[in-house]
């Protein structure tokens, strides 16, 4: 059951729709207020567990409208293929694009759900050749599948990782080059680029390195890194609102302080 259907929760995300899209965005949406800044991204941009995500803070600080089109569990497939998002981006004066994981997108090895990019759909013939003894029908989520593949063979997993990294860079560069509007990239995460990978592959954005950021940076207007200097367990849930059995998920997402840090940096780059 999706997060917007679970009844009364600590935060009311006011799920809202845009014409031409079946996605649900965080409301209220001021989509008719004219061209402004459009923020696209995943759960971090949506502001899950957060009262005032960076898009809301930008809207309060600027004299032009800011539209939050972050989607829970979105990857590049959602941001690049949804017609409503594309229309809003085309009319924007500037775009803030959250850096999302390299594994939550369809690639030459596997396909993901077009709206829930964290959901694994099917393996390609290429991936089945690399892992001939793996039964891919048992996987429903990309991280679960990738964790299993890494445990099965670290050597073969390097082939998978390299494919995902190269696909992410190519997809990002093609997208950025195709836009006339300035795009400000945002790394918003509890991990810094090139932090050691944890055993569960839980960090986000997964499989995106500083080298990859350097490759796409020339095609963007700016790059903001909003990440803590070091992990702090006490701050992991500070200022977050979550329901029963959601604490583990809440710990993985950035808190209010990182959203504030992102807002301050973005304000300096946006120049409005």
């Amino acid at each position: 059951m999706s997060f917007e259907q679970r009844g009364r929760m600590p935060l009311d995300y006011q799920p809202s729709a845009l014409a031409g899209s079946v996605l649900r965005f965080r409301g209220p949406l001021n989509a008719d207020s004219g061209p402004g800044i459009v923020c696209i991204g995943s759960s971090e941009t949506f502001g899950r567990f957060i009262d005032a995500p960076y898009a809301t803070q930008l809207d309060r600080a600027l004299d032009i409208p800011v539209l939050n089109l972050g989607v829970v569990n979105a990857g590049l497939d959602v941001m690049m293929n949804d017609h409503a998002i594309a229309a809003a981006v085309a009319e924007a004066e500037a775009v803030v694009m959250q850096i999302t994981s390299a594994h939550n997108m369809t690639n030459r090895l596997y396909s993901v759900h077009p709206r829930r990019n964290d959901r694994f759909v099917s393996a390609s013939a290429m991936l089945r050749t690399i892992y001939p003894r793996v039964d891919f029908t048992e996987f429903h989520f990309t991280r679960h599948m990738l964790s299993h593949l890494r445990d099965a063979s670290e050597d073969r997993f390097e082939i998978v990782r390299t494919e995902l990294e190269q696909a992410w860079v190519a997809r990002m560069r093609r997208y950025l080059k195709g836009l006339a509007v300035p795009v400000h990239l945002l790394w918003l995460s509890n991990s810094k680029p090139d932090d050691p990978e944890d055993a569960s592959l839980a960090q986000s954005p997964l499989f995106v390195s500083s080298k990859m950021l350097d490759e796409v940076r020339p095609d963007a207007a700016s790059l903001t890194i909003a990440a803590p200097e070091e992990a702090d367990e006490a701050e992991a849930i500070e200022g977050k609102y979550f329901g029963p059995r959601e604490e583990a998920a809440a710990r993985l997402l950035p808190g209010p302080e990182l959203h504030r840090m992102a807002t301050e940096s973005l304000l300096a780059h946006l120049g409005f």
Side-chain angles (χ1 to χ4, degrees), residues 193-216:
D194 300 332
D195 272 358
E197 206 169 85
D198 63 40
S200 62
L201 302 181
Q203 69 263 46
S204 292
L206 187 61
F207 302 151
V208 179
S209 65
S210 58
K211 178 178 180 295
M212 294 161 66
L213 294 177
D214 289 342
E215 291 185 65
V216 303

Side-chain angles (χ1 to χ4, degrees), residues 1-19:
M1 183 178 292
S2 61
F3 69 96
E4 72 266 25
Q5 297 174 318
R6 292 180 303 195
R8 187 163 187 171
M9 296 296 290
L11 276 180
D12 181 6
Y13 297 116
Q14 302 180 58
S16 303
L18 286 179

Side-chain angles (χ1 to χ4, degrees), residues 3 8 16 33 37 43 85 104 118 127 142 149 161 175 194 198 206 224 226 238 240 243 249:
F3 69 96
R8 187 163 187 171
S16 303
S33 54
I37 298 170
S43 303
I85 292 178
N104 282 346
D118 62 325
L127 186 56
T142 53
L149 297 186
R161 182 197 298 271
Y175 182 70
D194 300 332
D198 63 40
L206 187 61
T224 290
E238 184 177 346
K240 297 179 182 178

Side-chain angles (χ1 to χ4, degrees), residues 47 65 71 83 91 112 117 160 203 215 232:
V71 178
H83 295 302
E91 296 177 358
V112 300
N117 294 166
V160 175
Q203 69 263 46
E215 291 185 65
D232 189 326

Side-chain angles (χ1 to χ4, degrees), residues 66 71 87 110 113 115 122 151-152 187 189 201 264 266 269-270:
V66 178
V71 178
Y110 59 86
H113 191 280
R115 294 182 299 278
S122 63
D151 293 343
W187 175 288
S189 172
L201 302 181
E264 290 184 356
L266 287 168
H269 289 306
L270 287 165

Side-chain angles (χ1 to χ4, degrees), residues 44 101 103 143 147 150 189-191 196-207 248-249 251-253:
E44 294 83 354
S101 298
H103 74 296
R143 286 184 199 267
S147 294
R150 184 190 58 185
S189 172
N190 287 331
S191 302
E197 206 169 85
D198 63 40
S200 62
L201 302 181
Q203 69 263 46
S204 292
L206 187 61
F207 302 151
R251 286 181 174 275
L252 296 176
L253 290 172

Side-chain angles (χ1 to χ4, degrees), residues 36-111:
I37 298 170
V38 174
C39 301
I40 59 176
S42 190
S43 303
E44 294 83 354
T45 293
F46 180 91
R48 196 173 181 201
F49 309 121
I50 299 296
D51 179 55
Y54 73 86
T56 300
Q57 296 181 39
L58 288 175
D59 190 54
R60 292 171 179 171
L62 297 171
D63 292 330
I64 62 173
V66 178
L67 191 61
N68 185 347
L69 297 186
V71 178
V72 171
N73 296 317
L76 290 181
D77 286 26
V78 162
M79 290 188 282
M80 296 179 182
N81 298 328
D82 182 79
H83 295 302
I85 292 178
V89 165
E91 296 177 358
E93 294 185 35
V95 172
V96 176
M97 183 181 190
Q98 178 202 332
I99 299 293
T100 54
S101 298
H103 74 296
N104 282 346
M105 64 180 190
T106 294
N107 54 77
R108 294 194 304 169
L109 299 180
Y110 59 86
S111 59

